[in-house]
Amino acid sequence: MVTWKMKCSTCCLLAYRSDHNETRKLNCSERIMWKYSPDSDPALCIYPVNLGDEGNYTCEIVSSAGTFLFFSSLTVIVPPTVTLTCNRSRVAVCQASAGKPAAEISWIPASNHSTEEEVRHPNGTVTRVSYVDWVNSTLPTVTCLVTHPATNQTLSLDLS
């Protein structure tokens, strides 16, 4: 018998009993299923994954050889939406919205005069905004570098 338990005892339970060729699914979303066939491969599949799926998972296998427990932790990474704009005061604004974890923002050419804001959202994502003042700059463009585990992006803006 193979049983997957998600997060807590009252949450999703996905089970397979080989001697009866029987599967059970309790309190599980339709996105949670067996990756292949539970009799040949008891791997779990969550598709599409979302932030609510993050947490701890336990797989219990019971056979004539004994009971075996396997633990897994799922961390969901969300790429940010990235924008680069310039306001009327010639301030470049680079925004990395709703990423998880928070994105890192840097500038080319490098600037010691950038300021940053961060907003943490209830769903665990983070929006970061970086501002650089280019009022006295003679540079034709500014480039924003956004670094994140899911994606790296480079956006350039014409300052002329």
Side-chain angles (χ1 to χ4, degrees), residues 41-55:
D41 183 354
L44 183 66
C45 177
I46 304 172
Y47 184 82
V49 71
N50 66 39
L51 283 169
D53 299 322
E54 191 166 74

Side-chain angles (χ1 to χ4, degrees), residues 1 6 8 17 28 34 72 76 78 80 92 99 103 119 127 137 140 143 155:
M1 184 160 86
M6 289 72 160
C8 62
R17 187 169 168 171
C28 297
W34 299 104
S72 184
V76 178
V78 180
V119 176
T127 295
S137 175
T143 301
L155 299 177

